[in-house]
């Protein structure tokens, strides 16, 4: 979108304008929604109330994009629109349909103002006509769509191939429950840094600052915020907690770390699992890798804030080529492999439209290469904890089974509800963890534990 100088001046306090700018970056320039929103909130000219509405509009439009386009189609069919005008109409229709508290005249008037200032009078008149016709006309009935895949795709605003993919593995009811859950607003969750404070102490501190928190249903060190972003809290600034999804908190403890091990975290960014592993170490050491230098810097910042840097070495490095500098093998290896991220669709809704099945196939090849290589760096009797934040079977169960078929010196170490303190409904028949987003309103996640045979058997 070409932004005119007058738009910057005249619309600086217009929250719909800021919503449009952010959405244009995400929809038309392939930037990540969470990154765009974070940058905006750090430099916003708006007050807190308007900031909240901007965030709500931006995420709401992305979350419901296909639904909105279905409603808009009769009014714009055959018309050639600039990308930013389409986005302006989309965010306006989102407010009209999904945000009941905003008067329709306010939505139309502000959209027209934005169209005139950043475009010209003709654009403003066009936007005005489309939106007023939309208000006067009954919306299309989504439930009247005959094709089941298309109906779910439009109703829950998700690419048809994803609907078809899960229909191959689950019942219609199960798939609809999954898709419905992805439309929910995600919770902000955090993991308590128990090397500094207990969960009870952190929750008491947060309560004193006006935060309403509850204990996680699935992690003994997790909390969930019900009314605010915890990064503004004293607990965050003092390193008593770090932001992390509850399902991700299950990974580190599965290694049953004693505290004196040499551990590799092969793909460590954004750092939630790496910092969790580090809190469980005493005399041991963690080597954490990532391909991205900016991401490693962020991991380092989290380590510093949490007071864990002395236990960790951070390297910008391709894990598929990593070799320990001293030639020593690792006691435990955590491989949170690069994946399609389908488990994050509630938190990063653009994934619903950006990913393809071909992405899954390509990523499965990378995951296979990574697990094959890191397995050579593990001591006999050591463990690999393999995890992803996706829900595809090709990136999870099939990777594990293919690896076991090709490496007879490894066996699966089934995860147990009793021994591993994991809820039984998260454990599959094969002994893996598979977290579905609708179960506990977390990210979707997969975890498997593999052990390397030693000379005397299996430790």
């Amino acid at each position: 979108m070409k932004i005119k100088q007058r738009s910057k001046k005249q619309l600086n306090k217009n929250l719909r304008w800021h919503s449009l700018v952010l959405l244009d970056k995400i929809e038309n320039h392939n930037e990540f929604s969470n990154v765009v929103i974070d940058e905006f909130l750090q430099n916003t000219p708006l007050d807190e109330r308007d900031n909240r509405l901007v965030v709500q509009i931006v995420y709401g439009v992305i979350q419901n994009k296909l639904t909105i386009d279905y409603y808009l189609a009769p009014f714009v069919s055959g018309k050639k629109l600039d990308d930013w005008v389409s986005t302006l109409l989309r965010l306006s229709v989102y407010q009209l349909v999904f945000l009941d508290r905003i008067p329709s005249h306010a939505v139309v008037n502000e959209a027209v103002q934005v169209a005139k200032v950043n475009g010209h009078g003709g654009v403003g008149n066009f936007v005005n006509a489309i939106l007023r016709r939309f208000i006067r006309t009954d919306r299309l009935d989504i439930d009247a769509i005959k094709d089941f895949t298309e109906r779910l795709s439009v109703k829950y605003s998700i690419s048809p191939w994803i609907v078809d993919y899960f229909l191959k593995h689950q019942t219609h009811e199960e798939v609809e429950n999954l898709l419905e859950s992805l439309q929910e607003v995600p919770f902000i969750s955090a993991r308590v840094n128990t090397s500094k404070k207990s969960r009870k102490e952190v929750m008491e501190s947060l309560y004193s600052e006006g935060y309403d928190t509850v204990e996680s249903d699935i992690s003994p060190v997790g909390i969930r915020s019900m009314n605010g972003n915890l990064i503004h809290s004293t607990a965050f600034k003092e390193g008593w907690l770090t932001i992390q999804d509850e399902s991700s908190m299950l990974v580190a403890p599965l290694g049953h770390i004693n505290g004196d091990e040499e551990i590799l975290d092969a793909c460590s960014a954004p750092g939630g699992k790496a910092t969790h592993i580090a809190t469980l170490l005493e005399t041991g050491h963690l080597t954490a890798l990532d391909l991205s230098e900016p991401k490693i810097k962020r991991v380092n910042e989290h380590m510093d804030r949490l007071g864990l840097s002395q236990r960790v070495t951070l390297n910008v490095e391709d894990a598929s080529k990593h070799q320990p500098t001293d030639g020593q093998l690792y006691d435990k290896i955590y491989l949170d492999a690069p994946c399609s991220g389908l488990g994050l669709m509630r938190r990063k809704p653009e994934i619903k439209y950006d990913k393809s099945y071909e992405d899954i196939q390509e990523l499965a090849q990378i995951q296979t290469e990574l697990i094959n290589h890191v397995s050579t760096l593990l001591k006999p009797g050591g463990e690999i904890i393999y995890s992803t934040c996706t829900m595809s079977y090709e990136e999870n169960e099939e990777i594990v089974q293919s690896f076991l078929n090709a490496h007879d010196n490894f066996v699966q170490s089934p995860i147990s509800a009793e021994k591993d303190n994991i809820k039984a409904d998260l454990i599959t028949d094969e002994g893996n963890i598979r977290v579905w987003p609708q179960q506990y309103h977390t990210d979707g996640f997969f975890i498997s534990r593999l052990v390397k045979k030693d000379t005397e058997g299996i430790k």
Side-chain angles (χ1 to χ4, degrees):
M1 176 174 69
K2 184 177 180 181
I3 299 177
K4 296 183 177 180
Q5 285 299 318
R6 66 184 185 189
S7 300
K8 295 179 180 179
K9 295 179 180 179
Q10 296 180 34
L11 301 173
N12 189 47
K13 296 294 185 179
N14 186 311
L15 64 90
R16 274 84 178 180
W17 165 252
H18 289 288
S19 301
L20 173 64
V21 172
L22 299 181
L23 282 165
D24 181 69
K25 291 179 180 180
I26 298 163
E27 293 186 340
N28 304 321
H29 298 281
N30 299 317
E31 296 189 34
F32 294 115
S33 57
N34 59 321
V35 174
V36 169
I37 288 291
D38 287 346
E39 290 176 350
F40 167 74
L41 292 177
Q42 290 173 15
N43 303 285
T44 177
L46 305 176
D47 61 31
E48 183 62 29
R49 181 180 176 183
D50 282 349
N51 285 337
R52 287 197 298 270
L53 184 53
V54 167
V55 172
Q56 183 179 15
I57 290 173
V58 170
Y59 275 120
V61 171
I62 303 169
Q63 191 74 274
N64 297 280
K65 182 179 178 180
L66 299 187
T67 310
I68 295 168
D69 286 352
Y70 180 77
Y71 289 146
L72 259 175
F75 306 94
V76 298
S77 179
K79 297 179 173 63
K80 186 175 177 61
L81 306 179
D82 288 343
D83 286 341
W84 73 272
V85 177
S86 295
T87 301
L88 178 60
L89 289 172
R90 196 176 284 133
L91 73 88
S92 301
V93 168
Y94 169 75
Q95 294 170 81
L96 292 170
V97 174
F98 295 95
L99 301 183
D100 297 335
R101 291 173 296 175
I102 301 178
S104 58
H105 65 83
V107 174
V108 175
N109 291 344
E110 291 212 15
V112 171
Q113 181 191 14
V114 169
K116 287 181 177 179
V117 174
N118 200 60
H120 50 74
V123 178
N125 292 337
F126 173 79
V127 168
N128 182 63
I130 294 292
L131 293 180
R132 292 193 181 281
R133 279 184 56 209
F134 180 85
I135 292 170
R136 293 194 304 267
T137 307
D138 291 337
R139 293 198 294 273
L140 293 175
D141 182 7
I142 295 175
D143 290 332
I145 300 174
K146 293 182 179 180
D147 182 83
F148 188 70
T149 295
E150 182 185 359
R151 184 162 72 250
L152 293 191
S153 171
V154 173
K155 184 175 182 178
Y156 298 110
S157 193
I158 190 166
S159 294
W161 80 264
I162 299 179
V163 178
D164 278 334
Y165 179 87
F166 287 112
L167 285 173
K168 292 176 183 177
H169 298 279
Q170 299 176 330
T171 67
H172 285 196
E173 183 180 2
E174 288 171 336
V175 172
E176 189 149 16
N177 287 339
L178 166 63
L179 300 183
E180 185 177 12
S181 79
L182 296 177
Q183 295 297 88
E184 298 169 354
V185 177
F187 289 101
I188 294 175
S189 57
R191 176 177 49 79
V192 174
N193 180 5
T194 52
S195 66
K196 288 191 172 185
K197 295 280 185 179
S198 70
R199 179 162 67 174
K200 180 180 179 181
E201 289 173 322
V202 170
M203 292 179 72
E204 288 174 349
S205 171
L206 292 169
Y207 179 77
S208 70
E209 294 183 312
Y211 291 96
D212 178 18
T213 61
V214 296
E215 294 182 351
S216 167
D217 286 332
I218 64 173
S219 170
V221 291
I223 59 174
R224 181 179 287 183
S225 174
M226 311 305 290
N227 69 335
N229 194 333
L230 300 177
I231 64 170
H232 303 300
S233 67
T234 298
F236 182 86
K237 295 171 185 175
E238 293 295 326
W240 302 343
L241 60 77
T242 194
I243 305 302
Q244 186 178 6
D245 188 74
E246 293 164 77
S247 56
S248 175
M249 298 176 201
L250 304 179
V251 178
L254 289 174
H256 292 285
I257 296 170
N258 295 318
D260 59 352
E261 296 95 336
E262 285 292 327
I263 299 177
L264 174 67
D265 183 5
C267 305
S268 64
K273 286 175 286 295
T275 53
H276 197 175
I277 295 165
T279 63
L280 303 175
L281 291 172
E282 295 175 1
T283 58
H285 191 78
L286 171 66
T287 300
L289 314 176
D290 201 88
L291 274 172
S292 168
E293 184 171 357
K295 288 182 179 179
I296 279 289
K297 287 182 178 178
R298 290 294 301 275
V299 176
N300 187 49
E301 290 170 2
H302 290 309
M303 291 290 181
D304 285 343
R305 181 176 55 82
L306 296 167
L308 301 169
S309 297
Q310 74 280 5
R311 308 178 192 182
V312 183
T313 299
L314 300 172
N315 292 330
V316 179
E317 190 175 351
D318 182 349
S320 68
K321 297 178 175 60
H322 173 69
Q323 293 292 337
T325 54
D326 57 5
Q328 295 296 310
L329 299 178
Y330 295 100
D331 297 294
K332 300 180 189 294
I333 295 176
Y334 288 81
L335 175 56
D336 188 50
C339 68
S340 59
L342 297 183
L344 307 178
M345 289 187 285
R346 183 191 290 130
R347 195 177 304 282
K348 298 180 180 179
E350 62 268 27
I351 291 174
K352 298 194 291 183
Y353 322 112
D354 294 346
K355 296 296 180 182
S356 67
Y357 183 69
E358 289 69 30
D359 291 328
I360 289 176
Q361 294 174 309
E362 292 174 6
L363 285 159
Q365 294 177 5
I366 295 171
Q367 292 150 3
T368 298
E369 180 182 355
L370 281 167
I371 195 169
N372 284 340
H373 176 69
V374 300
S375 69
T376 67
L377 311 179
L378 187 67
K379 291 179 182 178
E383 294 173 326
I384 293 177
I385 312 298
Y386 176 83
S387 61
T388 74
C389 55
T390 192
M391 296 181 286
S392 79
Y393 295 86
E394 291 86 343
E395 299 176 85
N396 295 319
E397 287 91 345
E398 292 183 21
I399 292 292
V400 171
Q401 192 56 55
S402 295
F403 175 79
L404 291 173
N405 291 342
H407 298 81
D408 58 8
N409 60 331
F410 275 84
V411 294
Q412 186 161 2
S413 174
I415 296 164
S416 162
E418 295 77 21
K419 294 180 181 179
D420 294 299
N421 192 26
I422 299 292
K423 282 188 172 290
D425 60 349
L426 300 181
I427 302 175
T428 68
D429 292 341
E430 298 78 21
N432 300 311
I433 289 177
R434 184 176 262 279
V435 185
W436 294 97
Q438 68 270 31
Q439 287 179 285
Y440 293 97
H441 308 283
T442 67
D443 292 343
F445 222 82
F446 175 87
I447 316 170
S448 186
R449 183 171 57 201
L450 310 171
V451 61
K452 190 172 189 177
K453 297 177 183 178
D454 65 14
T455 55
E456 299 177 356
I458 301 170
K459 289 185 179 179

